[in-house]
Amino acid sequence: MVNCVVRNWQGEEVGQASLDLNVAKEETAAHIVHRALVRQMANARQGTASSKTRAEVRGGGRKPWRQKGTGRARAGSIRSPLWRGGGVIFGPKPRDYNLKMNRKERRLALRTAFQSRSEDLVVVEEFAEEFPRPKTQDLAAALKRWGVESEQKALLILPELPDNIYLSARNLERLKVITATNLNVYDLLHADTIITTAAGLTKIHEVYND
């Protein structure tokens, strides 16, 4: 179990929250998190890249010149892979990059990745009422009060995503906002700082700590 400091809207310490997730053993933690990360990135690939072989390139049905007597190298088609505009040897073709991973392993990797970022986790009080209307400047100032530098990448995890917070956050280049039910390994590892509310932390325990 890890204790985290809870901050209010002004950035002052007002209490503590505990992070207690069932994680992988120390000797296997890095391996399972790596597998989950590779799976997520591979499954995000479209796999639609396609190049044409010499059989698929248009034209080239006629022999460019006769076999002998010209002094040039013999050639049977202008669509040979050796020619500019010809086919591609061993080029990409549409394929499925999806990797499989058991659901229990995926959830274990997610819990392990989240717990491993406990030192970079900032827990804040509920602040939805601070946004009666969208205000990007106010959210940027709050992030600074919570210890997030302007050049850092931040991940904001909320139990629900109110429209005013979403509209306030979408123009901040280095901030990504997700709900607690949409956690993923890549975002957890990619962010420099992770921010969540006390309710968000409770939601994470409810959804993932099985």
Side-chain angles (χ1 to χ4, degrees):
M1 184 173 69
V2 179
N3 290 325
C4 306
V5 175
V6 179
R7 298 183 182 276
N8 59 15
W9 178 247
Q10 286 74 32
E12 302 165 345
E13 296 183 12
V14 292
Q16 284 193 334
S18 60
L19 176 62
D20 187 15
L21 297 173
N22 298 324
V23 299
K25 296 178 182 178
E26 186 176 350
E27 57 269 21
T28 60
H31 174 66
I32 195 168
V33 171
H34 178 260
R35 281 184 55 211
L37 178 62
V38 170
R39 171 190 172 273
Q40 181 180 343
M41 296 180 70
N43 291 1
R45 297 184 67 173
Q46 290 183 320
T48 55
S50 181
S51 59
K52 292 184 178 181
T53 65
R54 64 180 296 162
E56 296 166 331
V57 180
R58 183 178 176 86
R62 181 173 65 88
K63 189 173 175 66
W65 52 76
R66 66 184 192 219
Q67 181 80 349
K68 293 179 177 292
T70 64
R72 287 178 289 186
R74 54 194 175 188
S77 170
I78 63 171
R79 295 304 177 227
S80 163
L82 305 179
W83 285 50
R84 179 178 176 275
V88 178
I89 304 173
F90 303 131
K93 285 293 183 183
R95 55 169 291 192
D96 183 9
Y97 285 95
N98 282 359
L99 298 176
K100 291 183 178 180
M101 190 174 182
N102 293 337
R103 180 176 180 273
K104 286 185 177 180
E105 288 183 308
R106 296 199 307 267
R107 291 172 70 85
L108 178 60
L110 191 59
R111 293 194 300 267
T112 304
F114 189 83
Q115 186 99 351
S116 70
R117 300 304 309 276
S118 58
E119 292 184 358
D120 304 308
L121 178 64
V122 178
V123 182
V124 299
E125 291 183 329
E126 300 299 324
F127 58 90
E129 65 277 1
E130 302 290 342
F131 289 90
R133 61 188 180 88
K135 190 72 173 178
T136 301
Q137 189 174 2
D138 289 352
L139 183 56
L143 291 173
K144 193 170 184 179
R145 291 195 297 269
W146 294 335
V148 181
E149 300 297 333
S150 58
E151 68 276 3
Q152 288 184 324
K153 296 183 288 290
L155 176 66
L156 177 59
I157 305 171
L158 300 173
E160 295 178 353
L161 186 53
D163 289 340
N164 286 345
I165 294 180
Y166 166 72
L167 294 172
S168 301
R170 67 178 179 176
N171 205 35
L172 294 174
E173 181 183 3
R174 297 183 181 274
L175 175 66
K176 182 171 184 179
V177 184
I178 61 174
T179 60
T181 55
N182 289 327
L183 286 186
N184 61 86
V185 173
Y186 178 82
D187 285 339
L188 289 175
L189 299 180
H190 184 66
D192 295 315
T193 304
I194 300 172
I195 307 156
T196 188
T197 62
L201 197 61
T202 301
K203 185 73 171 180
I204 290 171
H205 281 93
E206 290 176 357
V207 174
Y208 300 102
N209 211 7
D210 52 6

